[in-house]
């Protein structure tokens, strides 16, 4: 029998299937959705960092032609009066914690610039904006709490009059005899990192469209997790689940900031219900910069206690984390993630960790690409370099001396993680080889003697956690015409799941990739889902597609066995046909199997349904890792730093699509490097965001970055049947410390041991000349 030639899809460099439509302008984003008669929603926000609302006069705005409603929280309360959910069990995770309440509109005390205080619904954006300007909000300024550690000092202004102090939450744990280890250590090194606040800046600001049809509600929203948005809103509205459909159409990036549930998502539905009209809201860039969560904003401390050979015997790790004015959905969990990864790639079993959250009058903090793991990697990898310097060891040798050995996996960390697999020295070696480390060190010495630009070499070996549970939904169905429909609970917003899930199904089912349609992001089409964050999609959602594809092949093999009068166990699927093991000529095609599967007279035990939709339940998280090497040149006269080479070796287990993984690594590198060199949100003492536009906030641009030299090692995870680990955040995590280590390495001989990020020329120059 003639067989179709089916290319091997897994590991193939296939171009993204989603791109032709996106590149031709055929993408459908939330702001492209205009239901007939849609009204515009504009949110009136606090323009002060902290203040007491005396009154809000809406009369002039409400009197404008074309304005349908101008509501404050008093109006809202008549139809809806519930705070939004915090999905973190404070009592379980913290020794002490204060709770906060997040209402759709703030009624008496505003806690940050951007806090929503009123809503305008109008015929058009122009009318709505004009009306919003007429809403007269009378606020008495209160002193603002600004600065993470400053807010925790005695006498600091309190971020909210109902808080007992600015200490949001606190937890401390000792594992092993920490004091004894530090007292008897040969060398102790202490490092403090100011991990500055970042604005996530997805290319598409947040947007919603809410529709109402009798009892049935539909919400189109720019989210990374439509099913969780639905679950939260169903609970808030106390409605049957089938009364709400949430759709995440094309979503232009999220970087963790859209893995949240926001007031506007609920507010638009409340207003659509109240007015019985569709309602849409699209954030402006400036609005997005204050009304969407920010990331990082932590001060981290690490101390290492080591013996004379550089072996680290114990660590102390403290996270002081900004929570902003109040918690959003998961705020207090983010600093805990840093603590969970407190010992990095190193075999350290004695640990003290402490997490302290601080309220400040700023936009709330939550997940931003890496969420906790970049902060951990940054401080650990900086501390390794400082320890090496103190012991006069090469930082590479120090890392090698402390790596968890490959034979120690699964490895239990003192903070309670179980690392699945890792070969940290292998990734390090590969990076060193690509960089030609020895030659770089020689060049560094030569350049130093010659004068002129100073060369710095920065190494960072990171490990991170991803693939969070509890599960992900997947469905694989062979349609009667031979097409394959794949449904996924993951909700891509730039990661290319249509391509990679197609690859998984095409390879497993042995069909051409064009036959596969992947659907996502619609709770009416996808019965269940968790979403896309924490680099969980490949190791959880992808595995769900893999398992269900295998289950469909198993069912089809039974049908083929029936047709070929052979046991299903003896049937092999090869080159798109089913044949009896060892007898390739005794074969049937997918078409024949599909035809037979439809017939009523299948024998006992042969299921004609070529459909499987079991969720994949996570057996354990996966821990990707790698080593990055950054080479910089610093002009000592100007402080200008240039990255001359960047080598990243990342390990995410077997790769589904190398081009997509490279893309993820490139994007991650840009964000991590950009934190090191350019970005940073700045508030003044009154809580005004001074970097609220892209004129003031330093977004990275292509010409500011070098070409990246990327490579991989492949260490499978034992925790899922594909052996894969996530890659979406990895490069963000490894890159920031590599860059800062390189900068310090360039100027250490001048006495510099720290420069706060971002490493602007002014800061670098001051560090050199101040020393
Ligand atoms: N992949 C692969 N082989 C592997 C691992 C992953 O081919 N061994 C592929 C996956 O199939 C998927 C992509 O790489 O197509 C990313 O997979 P994964 O690492 O599982 O990450 P997620 O899909 O869960 O994406 C989330 C992650 C996070 S947490 C942030 S933040 C982030 C990121 O992805 N935000 C992004 N990448 C982004 N990329 C874009 N364009 N925009 C964002 O907002």
């Amino acid at each position: 029998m003639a067989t179709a030639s089916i290319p091997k899809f897994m590991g193939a460099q296939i171009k993204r299937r989603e791109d032709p439509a996106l590149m031709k302008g055929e993408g459908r984003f939330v702001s492209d959705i205009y239901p007939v008669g849609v009204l515009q929603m504009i949110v009136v926000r606090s323009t002060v960092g902290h203040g007491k609302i005396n009154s809000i006069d809406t009369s002039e705005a409400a009197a404008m032609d074309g304005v349908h409603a101008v509501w404050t929280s008093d109006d809202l309360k008549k139809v809806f009066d519930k705070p939004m959910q915090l999905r973190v069990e404070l009592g379980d995770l913290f020794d002490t914690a204060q709770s906060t309440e997040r209402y759709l509109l703030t009624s008496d005390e505003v806690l940050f610039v951007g806090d929503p205080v009123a809503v305008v619904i109008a015929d058009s954006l122009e009318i709505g904006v004009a009306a919003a300007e007429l809403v007269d909000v009378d606020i008495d300024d209160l002193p603002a709490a600004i600065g993470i550690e400053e807010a925790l000092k005695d006498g600091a202004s309190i971020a909210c009059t109902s808080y007992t102090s600015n200490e949001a939450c606190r937890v401390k744990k000792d594992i092993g005899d920490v004091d004894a280890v530090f007292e008897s250590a040969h060398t102790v090194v202490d490092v403090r990192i100011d991990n500055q606040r970042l604005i996530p800046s997805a290319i598409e600001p947040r947007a919603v469209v809410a529709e109402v049809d009798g009892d049935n509600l539909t919400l189109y929203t720019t989210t990374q997790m439509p099913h969780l948005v639905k679950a939260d809103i169903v609970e808030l509205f106390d409605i049957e689940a089938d009364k709400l459909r949430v759709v995440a159409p094309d979503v232009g990036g999220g970087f963790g900031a859209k893995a949240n549930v926001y007031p506007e998502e609920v507010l638009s539905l409340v207003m659509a219900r109240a007015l019985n009209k569709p309602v849409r809201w699209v954030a402006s860039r400036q609005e997005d910069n204050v009304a969407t969560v920010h990331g990082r904003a932590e001060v981290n401390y690490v101390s290492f206690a080591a013996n004379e050979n550089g072996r680290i015997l114990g660590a102390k790790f403290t996270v002081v984390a900004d929570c902003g004015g109040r918690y959003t959905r998961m705020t207090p969990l983010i600093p805990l993630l840093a603590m969970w990864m407190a010992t990095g790639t190193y075999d350290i079993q004695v640990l003290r960790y402490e997490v302290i959250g601080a309220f400040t009058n700023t936009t709330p903090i939550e997940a931003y690409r890496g969420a906790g793991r970049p902060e951990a990697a940054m401080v650990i990898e900086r501390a390794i370099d400082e320890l090496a310097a103190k012991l006069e060891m090469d930082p590479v040798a120090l890392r090698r001396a402390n790596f968890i050995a490959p034979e120690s996996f699964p490895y239990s960390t003192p903070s309670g993680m179980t690392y699945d697999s890792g070969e940290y020295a292998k990734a390090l070696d590969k990076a060193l080889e690509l960089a030609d480390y020895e030659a770089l060190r020689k060049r560094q010495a030569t350049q130093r003697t010659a004068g002129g630009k100073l060369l710095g070499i920065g190494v960072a070996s990171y490990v991170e956690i991803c693939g969070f549970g509890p599960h992900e939904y997947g469905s694989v169905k062979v349609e009667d015409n031979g097409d394959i429909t794949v449904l996924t609970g993951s909700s891509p917003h730039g990661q290319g799941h249509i391509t990679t899930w197609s690859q998984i199904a095409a390879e497993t089912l042995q069909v051409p990739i064009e036959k596969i349609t992947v659907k996502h992001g619609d709770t009416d089409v996808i019965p269940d889902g968790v979403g896309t964050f924490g680099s969980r999609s490949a190791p959880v959602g992808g595995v769900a597609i893999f398992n269900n594809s295998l289950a469909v092949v198993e069912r089809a093999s039974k049908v083929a066995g029936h047709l070929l009068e052979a046991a299903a166990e003896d049937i092999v699927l090869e080159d798109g046909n089913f044949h009896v093991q060892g007898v390739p000529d005794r074969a049937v095609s997918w078409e024949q199997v599909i035809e037979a599967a439809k017939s009523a007279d299948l024998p006992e035990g042969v299921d004609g349904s070529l459909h499987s939709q079991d969720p994949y339940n996570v057996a354990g998280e996966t821990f990707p890792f790698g080593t990055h090497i950054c080479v910089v040149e610093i002009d000592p006269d100007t402080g200008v730093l240039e990255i001359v080479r960047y080598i990243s070796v990342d390990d995410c287990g077997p790769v589904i699509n190398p081009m997509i993984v490279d893309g993820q690594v490139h994007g991650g590198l840009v964000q991590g490097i950009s934190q090191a060199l350019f970005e940073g949100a700045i508030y003044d003492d009154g809580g005004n965001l001074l970097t609220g536009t892209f004129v003031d906030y330093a977004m990275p641009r292509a010409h500011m970055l070098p070409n990246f030299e990327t490579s991989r090692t492949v260490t499978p995870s034992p925790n899922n049947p594909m052996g894969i680990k996530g890659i979406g955040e990895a490069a963000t995590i490894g890159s920031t410390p590599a860059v800062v280590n390189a900068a310090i390495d360039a100027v250490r001989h001048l006495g510099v041991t720290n420069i706060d990020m971002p490493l602007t020329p002014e800061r670098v120059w001051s560090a050199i000349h101040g020393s």
Side-chain angles (χ1 to χ4, degrees):
M1 172 170 295
T3 55
S5 178
I6 308 293
K8 202 166 156 22
F9 293 112
M10 296 285 281
Q13 191 110 332
I14 289 170
K15 283 190 184 166
R16 290 179 13 132
R17 300 185 74 200
E18 36 282 88
D19 282 353
L22 293 173
M23 290 171 74
K24 283 188 282 178
E26 289 167 6
R28 187 168 178 261
F29 295 85
V30 172
S31 58
D32 294 322
I33 298 167
Y34 280 89
V36 177
V38 72
L39 302 176
Q40 301 286 334
M41 178 168 102
I42 285 90
V43 180
V44 181
R45 301 179 183 280
S46 172
T47 53
V48 304
H50 188 198
K52 192 99 192 133
I53 302 176
N54 293 321
S55 62
I56 303 179
D57 183 354
T58 58
S59 53
E60 246 189 288
M64 270 184 71
D65 276 354
V67 170
H68 294 252
V70 185
W71 283 18
T72 65
S73 88
D74 286 344
D75 306 299
L76 190 71
K77 274 179 194 154
K78 293 173 198 153
V79 294
F80 183 80
D81 190 21
K82 281 194 196 157
M84 299 187 66
Q85 301 96 332
L86 171 71
R87 296 295 190 190
V88 176
E89 294 299 334
L90 292 171
D92 293 350
L93 294 171
F94 294 94
D95 299 335
T96 56
Q98 295 191 65
S99 52
T100 66
E101 281 187 336
R102 186 168 59 131
Y103 285 93
L104 305 187
L105 295 175
T106 300
S107 57
D108 63 340
E109 191 173 340
V110 289
L111 302 185
F112 60 94
V113 168
D115 215 355
V117 295
V119 59
V120 174
I121 305 289
D123 279 336
S124 71
L125 187 63
E126 292 72 20
I127 297 172
V129 169
E133 290 191 356
L134 294 178
V135 175
D136 186 9
V137 187
D138 178 19
I139 301 184
D140 276 347
D141 276 14
L142 292 169
I146 298 293
I148 313 172
E149 292 185 301
E150 289 75 6
L152 294 172
K153 287 185 182 148
D154 286 346
S157 312
I158 306 295
C160 177
T161 48
S162 65
Y163 299 162
T164 51
S165 74
N166 287 329
E167 186 177 297
C169 48
R170 183 185 279 267
V171 59
K172 185 175 178 183
K173 280 204 169 77
D174 268 21
I175 300 100
D177 196 342
V178 185
D179 290 332
V181 165
F182 273 81
E183 273 155 31
S184 61
H186 172 271
T187 300
V188 171
V189 74
D190 305 301
V191 166
R192 175 189 186 276
I193 297 294
D194 188 347
N195 208 301
Q196 82 272 30
R197 174 184 285 255
L198 302 178
I199 301 178
S201 309
I203 200 164
E204 182 199 23
R206 284 195 299 116
V208 295
V209 171
E211 284 185 301
V212 54
D213 176 11
D215 283 350
N216 295 311
L217 303 170
T218 302
L219 178 71
Y220 297 90
T221 180
T222 50
T223 185
Q224 300 175 216
M225 39 177 234
H227 290 86
L228 298 188
V229 170
K230 173 173 165 156
D232 276 16
I233 298 178
V234 161
E235 187 181 297
L236 284 173
F237 285 179
D238 196 13
I239 53 174
E240 296 294 323
D242 65 357
K243 297 292 176 210
L244 174 63
R245 173 185 178 202
V246 175
V247 184
D250 285 322
V251 174
F255 305 119
K258 290 177 184 165
N260 213 318
V261 184
Y262 283 99
E264 296 82 3
E265 290 171 316
V266 187
L267 190 58
S268 60
L269 283 167
V270 172
M271 298 313 288
R273 261 175 153 185
L275 300 170
N276 200 22
K277 292 265 194 176
V279 164
R280 85 195 274 278
W281 168 80
V282 181
S284 71
R285 175 60 65 184
Q286 254 174 290
E287 184 178 19
D288 207 48
N289 284 351
V290 291
T292 296
V293 294
H294 293 172
R296 311 281 187 267
E298 289 185 358
V299 177
N300 299 138
Y301 294 88
V302 158
S303 303
F304 284 151
N307 70 15
E308 62 280 17
N309 302 321
R311 184 74 184 88
I312 302 166
L313 308 170
K316 295 184 205 168
F317 192 109
T318 302
V319 180
V320 190
D322 200 339
C323 295
R326 63 175 75 86
Y327 306 136
T328 53
R329 197 170 184 273
M330 305 278 266
T331 299
L333 190 72
I334 308 304
L336 281 171
L337 274 166
M339 177 276 300
W340 289 342
M341 298 309 294
T343 47
T345 51
Y346 307 109
D347 183 14
I348 306 170
Q349 282 297 325
V350 176
L351 172 70
R352 169 175 301 154
Y353 68 73
E354 183 163 25
V355 174
I356 306 157
F359 292 124
T360 61
N361 292 112
T362 59
T363 289
I365 294 292
E366 241 217 64
Y368 172 57
R369 202 168 194 167
R373 293 98 87 200
E375 294 90 321
M378 179 67 197
V379 68
I380 297 164
E381 290 307 292
R382 283 289 302 113
I384 287 282
D385 267 30
E386 292 313 306
L387 180 62
K390 214 166 174 181
L391 290 167
E392 295 181 0
M393 280 178 76
D394 185 293
V396 167
L398 186 73
R399 284 180 171 81
R400 217 185 277 286
N402 286 286
F403 276 157
I404 300 162
E407 57 278 12
S408 307
F409 292 88
Y411 176 86
S412 300
T413 73
S415 55
M417 299 291 102
T418 305
Y419 292 176
D420 52 349
S421 60
E423 285 215 47
Y424 304 145
K426 199 167 160 186
L428 173 73
D429 287 339
K430 192 156 189 179
L432 293 173
E433 192 189 319
L434 287 169
D436 198 351
Y437 185 71
E438 295 308 323
L440 282 172
R441 285 281 173 219
K442 281 187 195 133
R443 189 176 135 197
Q444 179 180 45
T446 319
Q447 265 182 245
R448 242 178 231 173
T449 338
K453 287 189 181 168
L454 298 166
L455 192 83
I457 307 147
V459 179
S461 295
Y462 71 93
V463 58
E464 64 129 336
I465 178 172
C466 67
F468 300 99
H471 71 278
E472 193 51 273
Y473 173 83
S475 162
V476 177
K477 185 176 182 195
V478 180
E479 307 289 352
D480 286 353
N481 65 359
D483 289 347
I484 316 289
T485 306
V486 169
L487 308 183
T488 177
S490 70
S491 199
H493 43 282
Q495 294 88 351
H497 294 177
I498 290 181
T499 306
T500 43
W501 292 184
S502 298
Q503 287 179 253
I504 295 173
E507 167 111 355
T508 317
L509 299 168
Q510 299 265 310
V511 297
I513 204 158
E514 295 73 29
K515 281 191 169 293
I516 294 171
T517 303
V518 178
K519 295 184 180 173
H520 61 79
D522 184 338
T523 62
D524 265 14
V525 178
I526 322 292
D528 180 23
V530 177
T532 290
F533 47 87
S535 305
R536 65 187 302 277
S537 302
V540 189
V543 172
I545 305 308
F546 177 67
N547 283 351
N548 284 304
S549 300
L550 281 180
V552 166
V553 170
E554 202 175 307
R555 286 171 186 211
S557 297
K558 286 188 182 164
V559 178
H562 162 64
L563 292 176
L564 295 165
E565 295 174 352
E569 304 78 67
D570 295 335
I571 300 295
V572 182
L573 174 59
E574 205 168 33
D575 283 340
N577 290 311
F578 297 85
H579 67 77
V580 180
Q581 176 103 45
V583 198
D585 285 349
R586 265 183 77 197
V588 286
S589 65
W590 262 112
E591 288 72 23
Q592 288 167 296
V593 167
I594 293 165
E595 211 42 53
K598 282 190 233 163
S599 85
D601 60 346
L602 288 171
E604 273 285 298
V606 179
D607 185 351
S609 145
L610 301 175
H611 180 201
S612 174
Q613 54 171 340
D614 287 334
Y616 172 65
N617 297 311
V618 171
E621 289 87 9
T622 68
F623 293 81
F625 60 90
T627 290
H628 290 197
I629 297 182
C630 177
V631 186
V632 301
E633 274 186 347
I634 291 178
D635 181 338
D637 295 331
T638 60
V640 170
L641 177 155
E642 191 195 348
I643 297 182
V644 289
R645 280 186 72 194
Y646 197 98
I647 297 107
S648 103
V649 176
D650 302 282
D651 193 321
C652 57
V655 163
I656 305 165
N657 186 325
M659 201 189 317
I660 285 184
V661 166
D662 276 348
Q664 288 295 312
V665 168
H666 284 201
L669 289 176
V670 171
Q671 280 176 305
I673 293 171
S674 183
Q675 168 164 30
L677 299 184
F678 314 123
E679 288 181 57
I682 300 168
Y683 280 91
D684 71 9
D685 290 346
N688 298 297
L689 180 62
L690 302 181
T691 53
T693 73
F694 283 168
V695 176
D696 318 290
Y697 187 80
M699 288 294 287
R701 286 158 175 83
H703 74 274
M704 294 151 80
L705 294 147
N707 273 332
F708 302 129
E709 300 168 52
T710 61
S711 187
R712 280 185 281 279
T713 56
V714 178
T715 309
S717 169
N719 284 351
N720 65 67
M722 296 178 78
I724 55 177
K725 306 184 176 191
I727 192 63
E729 295 155 294
T732 319
I733 296 164
S735 51
T736 317
V739 177
V740 179
N741 278 344
I744 303 294
D745 183 65
V747 294
R748 185 183 294 286
H749 63 294
L750 303 174
V752 180
T753 55
N754 181 51
I755 309 174
D756 283 339
M757 299 184 291
L759 306 180
T760 57
E762 188 263 332
R763 284 187 177 176
V764 174
W765 187 91
S766 300
I768 296 172
H769 294 272
S771 64

